[in-house]
Amino acid sequence: MRYEGAVIRPPIEADSLILQVTYGCSNNTCDFCGTYLGKPFRVRPYAEVVEDIEGLPAWYKKECSRVFLADGDALVLPQRRLLELLSFLFAQLPSLERVTSYANAQNLLKKDVEQLRELREAGLTMVYLGLESGDEQTLAEMNKGVTVAQQIEACRKAKAAGIELSITCILGIAGVERSLIHGRATGEALSAIDPEYIGVLSLIIQEGTRIANRIRQGDLVLPDPLGMLRELREMIAAIDVTNGLFRSNHASNYLPIGGRLPQDKPRMLAALDAVLAHPEQARLRPEGWRAL
Ligand code: SF4
């Protein structure tokens, strides 16, 4: 398997076969994102993808049960190509159970529900989408390139097609001033989407990103760790989903919190309230230990 540049994948895909079908991200506008800086978006030649799959060792082909399509948004590929790829993967990998990928709202919106259903039936079981914020002003200031309503519509289409959703949001990106507004609005947007999985990260500034410049110039002031936990509390309090696994235990977070919503909401809020009431007793992750 050949890879070009840094390849990222969700932590839960650690054991999946990571297959690059595109390079970079077709959007690549988000101020906080340094993932694909210096890696212009390109579609990987399909013949190369096929060669890599065919070249896998026979024992691995037999055992491989999960594939993650990289890089940033494999769903940008035309429908016909995606269906061809999924069909080829299932033909080559007899134990394959699920194929997942990142997606952005833009490329989900370009497909109709019927096309998304076709992809689900062909084996695309889940997509990971960065909502980042449910606050319109924050999304616009971060140059996400879509509105909150478009994010919600895109996610609802995927859900209607039977594709599971894992949605990521970021604490801190609204700055101190809109921190609680961002927390609440994000909880409300998540409620409107009703995803199966919710992952919350805490902003880590990457050099070379536009947000790093804004912070340096004093244009954006980030909440401190306790401020981020207040924001998280506001978010969780506003989430009303039918059955969602909530995790904010990523290495970027100051405090691991997780549970199943709605039933674990009181426990998670109580844990945050205890830390906010007695921060001196809390064991927050030291700044230097945080990572992406
Ligand atoms: S956050 Fe996602 S959509 Fe935005 S530039 Fe990064 S990979 Fe692309």
Side-chain angles (χ1 to χ4, degrees):
M1 189 63 54
R2 293 162 287 184
Y3 294 106
E4 184 173 303
V7 181
I8 62 154
R9 43 102 186 127
I12 201 151
E13 300 289 347
D15 295 330
S16 303
L17 169 67
I18 311 297
L19 179 66
Q20 273 181 309
V21 296
T22 59
Y23 299 120
C25 161
S26 64
N27 186 33
N28 217 13
T29 57
C30 307
D31 279 16
F32 55 87
C33 178
T35 309
Y36 302 115
L37 288 177
K39 193 179 191 184
F41 173 74
R42 277 183 300 129
V43 173
R44 188 177 180 204
Y46 187 62
E48 252 184 63
V49 176
V50 167
E51 245 175 57
D52 274 7
I53 300 165
E54 284 177 335
L56 289 166
W59 68 266
Y60 186 83
K61 277 190 186 179
K62 208 167 143 200
E63 288 177 15
C64 178
S65 61
R66 297 170 61 139
V67 171
F68 177 78
L69 304 177
D71 276 340
D73 57 340
L75 261 65
V76 75
L77 291 179
Q79 182 76 359
R80 189 182 48 79
R81 177 49 47 83
L82 281 168
L83 290 172
E84 189 179 4
L85 172 66
L86 289 166
S87 156
F88 186 69
L89 280 169
F90 278 89
Q92 289 281 313
L93 309 172
S95 303
L96 188 58
E97 288 165 8
R98 49 177 273 165
V99 180
T100 58
S101 113
Y102 288 125
N104 60 39
Q106 290 91 328
N107 52 44
L108 284 175
L109 287 173
K110 282 192 187 128
K111 300 194 189 294
D112 58 35
V113 174
E114 202 39 57
Q115 288 177 309
L116 293 170
R117 194 170 290 125
E118 268 183 342
L119 295 175
R120 173 63 190 88
E121 281 164 10
L124 182 77
T125 53
M126 180 162 83
V127 294
Y128 300 86
L129 180 138
L131 170 69
E132 331 301 5
S133 176
D135 176 37
E136 204 66 80
Q137 185 173 323
T138 301
L139 273 194
E141 284 175 2
M142 289 299 133
N143 288 306
K144 185 71 188 168
V146 277
T147 63
V148 176
Q150 286 171 319
Q151 297 256 61
I152 293 171
E153 186 194 342
C155 291
R156 283 181 167 170
K157 280 172 80 172
K159 211 172 151 63
I163 297 175
E164 287 191 321
L165 289 166
S166 179
I167 305 291
T168 308
C169 310
I170 308 179
L171 297 174
I173 53 168
V176 173
E177 272 183 32
R178 292 191 75 77
S179 172
L180 296 183
I181 297 170
H182 158 64
R184 200 174 317 124
T186 304
E188 288 165 3
L190 288 165
S191 309
I193 295 169
D194 199 13
E196 286 78 9
Y197 302 92
I198 299 168
V200 176
L201 317 179
S202 297
L203 183 65
I204 289 193
I205 303 302
Q206 294 176 274
E207 271 316 311
T209 54
R210 281 187 296 273
I211 204 171
N213 282 339
R214 285 182 63 196
I215 290 168
R216 208 172 294 118
Q217 290 162 3
D219 181 33
L220 184 74
V221 179
L222 299 187
D224 63 12
L226 289 179
M228 291 215 197
L229 294 184
R230 273 184 219 104
E231 189 175 302
L232 178 62
R233 192 200 186 285
E234 199 75 8
M235 188 185 295
I236 294 173
I239 298 177
D240 179 11
V241 290
T242 47
N243 185 14
L245 190 60
F246 181 97
R247 297 190 196 96
S248 70
N249 56 0
H250 184 263
S252 64
N253 292 315
Y254 291 100
L255 184 74
I257 293 277
R260 186 158 286 280
L261 291 172
Q263 58 266 45
D264 293 333
K265 188 198 261 200
R267 177 181 59 73
M268 290 195 282
L269 291 178
L272 282 163
D273 285 340
V275 169
L276 290 168
H278 298 286
E280 72 289 349
Q281 293 171 17
R283 294 172 64 188
L284 302 186
R285 180 175 278 131
E287 194 60 46
W289 291 12
R290 294 204 303 134
L292 273 176

